[in-house]
Each structure stands twice: as structure tokens, then as C-alpha cells.
Amino acid sequence: MTDLTELEQKSLEEIPHPSLPEGSSIYGGTKVFPDYQAENGESYFTLVHGIAHESSVSFVAILQATRALRKGFESAIYFYGPGSLNALATRGFPTTGTSAFPGEHNINSSLATFIKEGGKVYCCRFGLSLHGAREEDLIEGVIPTHPLDVQDALIHYARKGAIINSTYMI
């Protein structure tokens, strides 16, 4: 260990840490709401305006949409604005598909799973263009859309009575 000053050592010893061994429970486990499953014909629609890897917002939205899909909801995700960057298959360094850090491809893998399990993923072409991303770089199965489709998709799913999860990050 690095040489510590007397005050640094004193500070370390004031409160033992970690104070609990790994595996200790510090949160209760009671689920308050029922584990709802989809009723016939119900939909779940997610809008994502968050940039990949800039926060957990985009990734959590994908996980929630996947959970809704597995509960029986017709589930769709719509990436727009900077959120469009989430749908790129070209992620990686030094080459596409190579993870420069653990978890770099979590979004890609989760979207591939979502699509494989029957979810629909839309991506705004204008959102791609704002960041110089190309349509041919989209993850396989992602449906490119016209910029005016963002509003009409929202209307479409609202008229279907979908549960709408709208995430937004600036």
C-alpha cells in the first residue's frame, strides 16, 4: 500500500469500511405492485432520445421494453434525435464488434435479443443524419423511419391504448 500520512491513516480508521461483507442485504425485497402481464392486444411503446453510453437511460429503456415484451405486450422502441445512435451496428474499437470496454455492446446485444424475441425497433433517419450516421450501419432488423413518423408513431400507439414510456436526455 502507498505510504499514508498520519491524518490519512486516521481518516481511514475512523469508520471501518467496507462495514458490511459482500453479499449483505441493505435493501428490502418486497415488490409493492403486482407483476402485471399483458392482456389481449395490449401494447407498450418506448421513445428514446438518449445517447448510447452517456447515461443508463437508453439501456434501461431497452431492458424495460424487453421485459414488457416478455410479459406479452406488443412492444416497440423508437429511437429519435441523438437516441438514433443507439441503433448502430458500427459500435466498437479498434474494429466494429470489438468491445473497447466491458459492456460496450450491451445495447447492441439487447436490441438484437429484443428484435429476435418479436419486438420492433424504429430509428429516425433524421436523427441518424444529425450525427453523420448512415442508414446501412443500423443493427439488423432496425426499421428506418421518416422524421415525420415520430409524431405519427406516438399517435398510432396512443390510439391503440399503449403504455407509453418516453425517455429524454439532453
Side-chain angles (χ1 to χ4, degrees), residues 62-152:
I62 296 164
L63 296 177
Q64 288 178 332
T66 302
R67 184 166 185 251
L69 182 66
R70 291 174 179 167
K71 287 172 165 282
F73 289 88
E74 172 198 329
S75 190
I77 303 170
Y78 200 118
F79 293 105
Y80 70 109
S84 299
L85 298 175
N86 288 283
L88 296 178
T90 53
R91 192 165 284 111
F93 185 85
T95 60
T96 59
T98 302
S99 292
F101 58 90
E104 182 177 0
H105 287 88
N106 284 352
I107 287 174
N108 296 60
S109 299
S110 295
L111 284 175
T113 297
F114 180 75
I115 292 167
K116 180 181 171 192
E117 293 184 13
K120 289 185 180 179
V121 177
Y122 302 99
C123 183
C124 180
R125 288 178 171 118
F126 184 67
L128 290 171
S129 76
L130 288 173
H131 305 283
R134 304 175 318 163
E135 189 171 319
E136 59 263 34
D137 294 332
L138 290 173
I139 293 168
E140 185 177 358
V142 173
I143 303 162
T145 55
H146 190 278
L148 297 179
D149 280 329
V150 176
Q151 184 181 49
D152 289 320

